[in-house]
Amino acid sequence: MFSQLEMPPADPILGLSVKFKADTNPDKIDLGPGIYKDEAGKTPVLACVKAAETFRVENEDTKVYLGSTGSALFNDKITSLILGADHKIIAENRIRTLSTPGGTGALRIAGEFINRSKPGATIWVSNPTWANHQGVFTASGLKVENYPYYDYENKCLDFDAMVEALKQVSADDAVLFHACCHNPSGMDLNQEQWKVVAELARDIGFTPVIDIAYQGFGNGLDEDAAGLRVVANVVDQMIICSSCSKNFGLYRERIGACSVIGSSAAQADILGAVMATVVRVTYSMPPAHGAAIVETILSSEELTQQWHGELQVMRDRISGMRQLLVEKLAENGVTEDFSFITRQNGMFSFLGITPEQIARLQDEFSIYIVGSSRINVAGVAPANVDYLTQSIAKVLK
Ligand code: LMR
């Protein structure tokens, strides 16, 4: 049965962690997977999460099944977080949200759901995009195509090319957008550009699928969802895949959500029910613990305030490191202009260096960055920035 199987290549992102752990260089720096780290290089459990877990331990009174859609309270809280509590779609009862195992689980359910509606449909993803999008959607039975997004030469968005490509998309296709903190480029659409995209979706009829994995890491919780809300205001149907891995620091809990918006409450009932059947044959029902933490935080005014504060500390540290990185690159002899780093949002920056330079950083300096030249800015700290920028200066020479 299994004799034909061959060793698969290492995951382009998670595979780096394995190599990093095995590296004995005391100066090694991990700028690979998108995980928040504090100045000391630690990924602490948020205090609001600890408080919610304590509350949970004391108050949980059953471990009975939750069902395929997961916790209704969590689902309501997430719907409000992504759309804003007073969004008309909530008032019109046109959205159904299901808890999922992480943001990847949400994407896979979205892919399977699209495939259920239109078997073998095409989903368009940005060039570049998160390294796992292609695999998740292909595994769901979809065909994956790329639309231009990032101008590698000028280190900015290539919006005109993106719009031209989207004009060619068919009504039966889905198009994936990153709501904020584009992974890997860090370059986001502005509100005007979101409006153009929303109107294209409405006029052509393609289905927007919005991946919001970093809400709160760009400019703020509402600011980071503003583009997604522009689209939701304009189109009849869309899918939103969200994650609590980063903004709640719940990486290993695997908690996210898949939301589907229908053109009416009656259609939303059908879409939500079909999505639940997709879950039932995939993993039956989502795990409860992460959802319980998030709903406990979001049901308490005090814990919500604490969470906002902790999220802001993470966001501010990352943007501070962007500034420091640009300053230190110049100070340590890099003559190329890296100021674009401060114009990118969220956890990632796209250095635009060559595969050879990336390999040298790893082999000679034990600095681990993703092969696309994406760095996790949260891995930069005052204690390692000189070694990092001096090493970059050496490989750029
Ligand atoms: C990343 O892009 O680094 C994160 O989303 C972690 C992952 O699963 O790839």
Side-chain angles (χ1 to χ4, degrees):
M1 164 76 85
F2 305 130
S3 54
Q4 306 301 320
L5 294 180
E6 286 177 7
M7 185 60 80
D11 183 89
I13 296 175
L14 302 182
L16 284 177
S17 300
V18 178
K19 280 196 182 169
F20 179 79
K21 274 196 193 115
D23 191 329
T24 53
N25 182 348
D27 294 328
K28 66 183 179 177
I29 306 178
D30 179 11
L31 304 178
I35 299 164
Y36 176 78
K37 291 177 205 153
D38 63 17
E39 250 183 51
K42 296 266 177 310
T43 307
V45 180
L46 298 186
C48 61
V49 166
K50 278 277 186 210
E53 284 188 309
T54 305
F55 175 87
R56 189 75 187 160
V57 166
E58 285 161 7
N59 292 281
E60 187 180 42
D61 56 6
T62 181
K63 293 284 189 192
V64 77
Y65 286 131
L66 275 176
S68 296
T69 55
S71 162
L73 178 58
F74 169 84
N75 296 342
D76 284 349
K77 295 288 178 194
I78 291 298
T79 304
S80 298
L81 196 63
I82 53 183
L83 281 185
D86 51 6
H87 199 283
K88 68 174 176 142
I89 288 175
I90 300 178
E92 292 164 2
N93 194 20
R94 285 173 44 218
I95 181 163
R96 299 293 173 273
T97 296
L98 283 71
S99 325
T100 56
T104 309
L107 290 162
R108 181 62 190 264
I109 291 305
E112 297 281 343
F113 175 75
I114 293 166
N115 198 45
R116 187 76 73 87
S117 319
K118 288 256 183 290
T122 297
I123 185 161
W124 295 79
V125 300
S126 60
N127 176 20
T129 195
W130 180 46
N132 206 23
H133 278 145
Q134 169 94 33
V136 167
F137 292 129
T138 305
S140 310
L142 304 182
K143 194 163 161 262
V144 182
E145 298 274 9
N146 292 285
Y147 60 85
Y149 185 82
Y150 187 68
D151 178 343
Y152 289 82
E153 186 72 24
N154 297 305
K155 305 197 166 39
C156 60
L157 207 63
D158 195 353
F159 189 65
D160 291 345
M162 174 179 174
V163 167
E164 281 316 302
L166 292 182
K167 284 183 184 161
Q168 313 307 318
V169 167
S170 104
D172 286 341
D173 295 351
V175 182
L176 182 108
F177 301 99
H178 300 228
C180 61
C181 310
H182 182 268
N183 180 2
S185 77
M187 285 292 177
D188 291 331
L189 302 180
N190 63 31
Q191 291 307 285
E192 281 310 303
Q193 291 166 330
W194 275 112
K195 204 156 166 276
V196 172
V197 163
E199 284 166 3
L200 276 173
R202 180 197 58 204
D203 296 346
I204 296 172
F206 65 72
T207 303
V209 179
I210 308 218
D211 185 355
I212 178 158
Y214 294 86
Q215 189 178 3
F217 270 81
N219 295 306
L221 285 165
D222 286 324
E223 292 83 344
D224 292 350
L228 166 169
R229 293 174 192 172
V230 168
V231 180
N233 286 340
V234 170
V235 302
D236 279 348
Q237 298 171 346
M238 71 190 260
I239 296 176
I240 303 164
C241 299
S242 54
S243 170
C244 302
S245 297
K246 328 281 171 169
N247 52 10
F248 286 89
L250 292 172
Y251 302 90
R252 62 172 62 167
E253 308 299 345
R254 308 312 301 142
I255 181 64
C258 189
S259 306
V260 60
I261 294 172
S263 48
S264 64
Q267 194 200 32
D269 278 340
I270 297 172
L271 303 184
V274 171
M275 200 172 262
T277 66
V278 171
V279 169
R280 180 67 171 142
V281 297
T282 310
Y283 49 80
S284 188
M285 49 193 90
H289 188 66
I293 295 168
V294 171
E295 72 191 29
T296 302
I297 294 170
L298 296 179
S299 301
S300 151
E301 183 61 33
E302 195 188 327
L303 291 181
T304 300
Q305 286 312 321
Q306 189 176 12
W307 175 54
H308 288 174
E310 294 188 278
L311 189 53
Q312 176 149 13
V313 168
M314 295 194 277
R315 180 167 64 240
D316 289 350
R317 197 187 98 68
I318 295 175
S319 63
M321 286 306 101
R322 288 188 180 279
Q323 298 289 345
L324 185 66
L325 195 52
V326 173
E327 281 163 31
K328 287 288 183 179
L329 281 164
E331 196 178 307
N332 284 314
V334 171
T335 48
E336 289 87 342
D337 179 15
F338 276 90
S339 60
F340 61 86
I341 291 177
T342 58
R343 294 191 290 277
Q344 298 167 332
N345 280 320
M347 222 177 227
F348 303 118
S349 191
F350 215 44
L351 291 186
I353 61 176
T354 67
E356 292 72 31
Q357 291 163 338
I358 295 166
R360 278 192 64 200
L361 280 177
Q362 192 179 120
D363 299 343
E364 293 174 34
F365 302 97
S366 300
I367 294 170
Y368 290 78
I369 80 175
V370 177
S372 60
S373 92
R374 184 194 88 171
I375 62 165
N376 172 12
V377 182
V380 182
N384 67 19
V385 72
D386 276 309
Y387 176 70
L388 170 65
T389 50
Q390 285 157 5
S391 306
I392 293 175
K394 284 181 193 147
V395 304
L396 288 179
K397 284 239 160 71

